[in-house]
Amino acid sequence: MFIDRVKLHVKAGKGGDGMVAFRREKYVPLGGPSGGDGGRGGNVIFEADSNKTTLLDLRYQKHVNAPNGGNGKIKKMHGADGADTIVKVPLGTIVKDASTNQIIADLTHNHQQAIIANAGKGGRGNFRFRTSKNTAPRYSELGEPGEERDVQVELKLLADVGLVGFPSVGKSTLLSVVSKAKPEIAAYHFTTIVPNLGMVQVPDGRSFVMADLPGLIAGAAAGKGLGHAFLRHIERCRVIVHVIDMGAHDGRDPLEDYRVINEELSAYAYRLMEREQIVVANKMDLEGAAENLKRFKAAYPDLRVFETTTIIAEGMEPLLYAIADALAHAPMFPLIDEEEETMEGVVYKFEEEKPAFAVHNLGNGRWLLDGEGIERAFKTSKIDSDEDAMRFARKLRMMKVDDALREAGCQDGDIVTLCNVEFTFVE
């Protein structure tokens, strides 16, 4: 099965907890704290693999989890780091955040990797908190939780040339003649329901990858007839080969076919009409094909049209040379929508720094604290003892949470909720 779109839930590993321990040995006076740090969790990493052609492996794997880090140990021993979970995907895979639709990774090179979910850091052991004033700390940190998100994984075929046209115009036959690909060929519409790839060898030694894309129909750019699912695979093609049934075997007018398909390509978001396009007049052995070709050339005198009869492999060599010549000067990175910025490497975008916390008045003396910074501080803090609680209170005071609550109107005895845990505010 050809699967080109999958939704997954990815979760990186949690960091290991730091340990509270003291060194007590017979001949080691004043051994002191010796609790080790926890290990980091495992990352969820996607890696491009040229041996993969579909996302079928992920179709039934709805959750991808990385292992947690090991807890710290005695004698200042560090916990084991969690192993990274590597997910192999085909070249041309795009990973998007399902909630924001923002692109996280675009994997176009073999063995290219991208971290999709970052692992949580390990918590510090009590050895890390020793000072000249507190020589025997009895607290440690919990490991940070790993990043967790829903992602949309999409495959866009990496092909140099894309075959477009109405159903049953001979695209699959053309691919089968010029390459060793074996697409399904039959005399009914939408025989091809998934893209097919083939390596094409030109007689002079040049080669390129050609994609046979499912037939387009009017309204494809608006999603009609799975239009977006088909057009998505044209986005990375550097040259477009427009195949037309010049014999009008299905009763359609070749001139109208050419106009409709180009309208759908121009309506799509990736400036497809600005790319090199080669027109192929196919099925020239049918009655009326010569007359239709004459009308077509009269309507479009500036176009160079290649006459072929793919079923008997006639007219292939001039076409292949023309495609190879077009690829020689076509840009390596096809034009996309002007609003999107692309470059080879990392794209850095300015993002405003988010506040560490926010105060919400729930009414009736109840308050809510939320925010990435304060939630991380809570999740990495133990509150098992009075010493732990006092340390967490000092951490909140340093973050100026107390001042923010007072300015908002919080009174002595009010209830403050943080991560579903209730605290009593005391001046």
Side-chain angles (χ1 to χ4, degrees), residues 108-398:
T108 57
H109 306 293
N110 196 25
H111 303 304
Q112 181 184 354
Q113 292 187 340
I115 298 177
I116 306 304
N118 289 285
K121 296 180 180 178
R124 293 176 291 177
N126 68 332
F127 175 75
R128 295 281 190 176
F129 296 102
R130 74 198 191 289
T131 64
S132 59
K133 293 183 178 180
N134 186 5
T135 57
R138 298 181 178 274
Y139 48 80
S140 62
E141 285 182 336
L142 300 175
E144 288 186 2
E147 192 174 8
E148 187 174 1
R149 68 197 336 171
D150 291 319
V151 296
Q152 183 77 39
V153 186
E154 297 181 1
L155 172 61
K156 296 181 181 180
L157 291 182
L158 283 179
D160 300 308
V161 180
L163 300 176
V164 301
F166 270 87
S168 298
V169 295
K171 300 186 299 296
S172 298
T173 306
L174 173 58
L175 181 66
S176 68
V177 168
V178 300
S179 73
K180 293 185 178 181
K182 304 295 181 185
E184 184 179 356
I185 300 172
Y188 59 87
H189 285 190
F190 292 109
T191 308
T192 303
I193 58 175
V194 298
N196 294 290
L197 290 176
M199 178 62 72
V200 180
Q201 191 77 29
V202 185
D204 63 2
R206 292 179 290 178
S207 62
F208 52 85
V209 178
M210 179 179 285
D212 165 30
L213 304 168
L216 301 176
I217 61 174
K224 186 176 180 181
L226 298 178
H228 283 168
F230 295 165
L231 285 166
R232 184 170 68 251
H233 296 290
I234 311 177
E235 293 174 9
R236 299 183 187 274
C237 295
R238 298 162 56 202
V239 173
I240 296 175
V241 175
H242 193 153
V243 184
I244 303 174
D245 178 5
M246 202 57 69
H249 178 68
D250 289 333
R252 296 190 307 267
D253 183 7
L255 279 74
E256 183 68 10
D257 284 2
Y258 180 75
R259 184 191 64 79
V260 170
I261 294 299
N262 280 343
E263 283 184 355
E264 297 305 321
L265 295 179
S266 61
Y268 197 56
Y270 284 79
R271 298 162 64 184
L272 299 178
M273 289 302 295
E274 297 183 29
R275 304 182 192 181
E276 184 88 18
Q277 185 176 137
I278 295 175
V279 178
V280 176
N282 193 28
K283 303 185 181 181
M284 290 302 300
D285 58 323
L286 296 182
E287 184 180 355
E291 180 63 27
N292 287 332
L293 179 60
K294 185 177 180 180
R295 290 194 305 114
F296 187 88
K297 288 183 175 180
Y300 301 99
D302 297 331
L303 287 179
R304 183 184 176 190
V305 182
F306 291 86
E307 303 176 31
T308 65
T309 305
T310 54
I311 196 169
I312 58 174
E314 183 177 308
M316 294 295 105
E317 190 168 309
L319 174 61
L320 295 183
Y321 278 116
I323 294 174
D325 292 341
L327 286 171
H329 62 263
M332 290 301 298
F333 298 96
L335 297 172
I336 64 170
D337 192 40
E338 292 181 352
E339 296 181 357
E340 296 194 19
E341 178 185 3
T342 61
M343 59 181 291
E344 188 173 9
V346 181
V347 177
Y348 295 95
K349 294 183 178 180
F350 173 76
E351 294 183 1
E352 293 186 7
E353 185 177 354
K354 297 179 180 179
F357 65 91
V359 178
H360 305 279
N361 188 353
L362 304 181
N364 296 325
R366 303 186 69 87
W367 303 81
L368 174 67
L369 290 174
D370 62 8
E372 188 175 329
I374 195 170
E375 289 177 4
R376 185 188 303 114
F378 175 77
K379 291 176 181 178
T380 57
S381 299
K382 293 181 180 179
I383 315 182
D384 298 335
S385 63
D386 291 341
E387 192 172 4
D388 292 333
M390 291 299 295
R391 179 175 177 273
F392 180 63
R394 288 196 298 272
K395 186 182 293 187
L396 294 184
R397 193 172 298 116
M398 292 176 63

Side-chain angles (χ1 to χ4, degrees), residues 69-95:
N71 295 334
K73 301 180 181 179
I74 61 173
K75 297 184 180 180
K76 297 177 284 188
M77 289 191 290
H78 198 286
D81 290 341
D84 293 335
T85 296
I86 298 179
V87 180
K88 300 289 185 72
V89 294
L91 272 66
T93 298
I94 290 179
V95 185

